[in-house]
Amino acid sequence: MSSAALASKTAQFDQKAGIQPEDRSKIASELGKVLADSYMLFIKTQGVHWNVVGPTFYSLHKLTEEHYGNLYAAIDEIAERIRALGEKAPASYRKYGELSDIQDYDLEQTAEQHVKMLIDDHRTAVKSMRGAIEWCEDKKDFVTADMLIERMSWHEEAIWMLNSIIAEK
Ligand SMILES: [Fe+2]
């Protein structure tokens, strides 16, 4: 099938499925930001797993292992949803740096600074997701919205767990 014919078939499918082609591509670009945030957070969480020191080492080493494992699986799920929407999934560090508001980090930090940094990054990811969910629901892409609500709930739980490690009371 020619690419024009394929594009027309895809557009017909989208309209029947209730998502307009222009909305599909906007949803995919919102998901690209979520993918970039998740990748940045994955790398930084693994960095904390490797480099953290001090009395909270063992708890943080174990918790970050669980968190980067979850993020690794999520990255694949988010990228594959972008593909299901018919767009290319961003797959380069340069692109992730451009798309995400999560910054690279300085290795020379205390355990508490590492944890506060991750909490802040999870909050950044949640903020992008909240915007994307509203957009998806407005455009009736409930499948993507559902996936993002599940991700957002995981990030909020991760924030609670990280906060509990540094809380004093
Ligand atoms: Fe490890």
Side-chain angles (χ1 to χ4, degrees):
M1 193 182 292
S2 76
S3 62
L6 187 64
S8 137
K9 280 257 173 216
T10 307
Q12 275 174 19
F13 170 79
D14 286 336
Q15 276 154 17
K16 275 187 203 160
I19 305 174
Q20 300 302 312
E22 63 277 15
D23 294 339
R24 185 174 48 106
S25 118
K26 165 74 177 155
I27 293 163
S29 94
E30 290 292 314
L31 273 181
K33 279 188 228 160
V34 173
L35 176 64
D37 286 343
S38 302
Y39 219 105
M40 295 297 283
L41 200 42
F42 164 73
I43 296 164
K44 291 177 78 172
T45 302
Q46 197 165 46
V48 174
H49 172 76
W50 293 329
N51 296 307
V52 74
V53 291
T56 53
F57 167 79
Y58 191 71
S59 327
L60 275 172
H61 185 70
K62 291 312 263 183
L63 184 64
T64 48
E65 182 169 32
E66 191 189 310
H67 284 181
Y68 78 68
N70 179 293
L71 286 159
Y72 184 73
I75 286 160
D76 197 47
E77 193 189 351
I78 297 161
E80 288 174 4
R81 182 65 192 156
I82 295 173
R83 296 296 297 132
L85 289 163
E87 301 290 329
K88 295 276 186 209
S92 80
Y93 289 120
R94 183 186 53 76
K95 196 74 191 160
Y96 293 145
E98 284 168 17
L99 289 172
S100 177
D101 291 327
I102 297 174
Q103 305 297 314
D104 275 336
Y105 87 106
D106 175 12
L107 294 178
E108 299 306 322
Q109 298 191 84
T110 64
E112 187 176 339
Q113 285 169 329
H114 274 114
V115 172
K116 285 183 173 165
M117 170 192 79
L118 290 180
I119 290 171
D120 203 45
D121 292 343
H122 278 284
R123 287 189 176 134
T124 301
V126 165
K127 192 174 165 214
S128 309
M129 281 175 199
R130 204 179 301 284
I133 290 165
E134 279 172 359
W135 178 268
C136 291
E137 287 185 338
D138 188 50
K139 302 302 174 192
K140 302 194 182 335
D141 182 357
F142 301 114
V143 174
T144 304
D146 201 45
M147 181 185 81
L148 290 177
I149 289 167
E150 200 186 314
R151 289 308 305 152
M152 196 164 74
S153 132
W154 180 80
H155 284 276
E156 287 184 347
E157 190 179 283
I159 291 169
W160 162 62
M161 287 183 181
L162 287 163
N163 250 325
S164 301
I165 289 183
I166 54 168
E168 287 176 12
K169 57 180 181 174

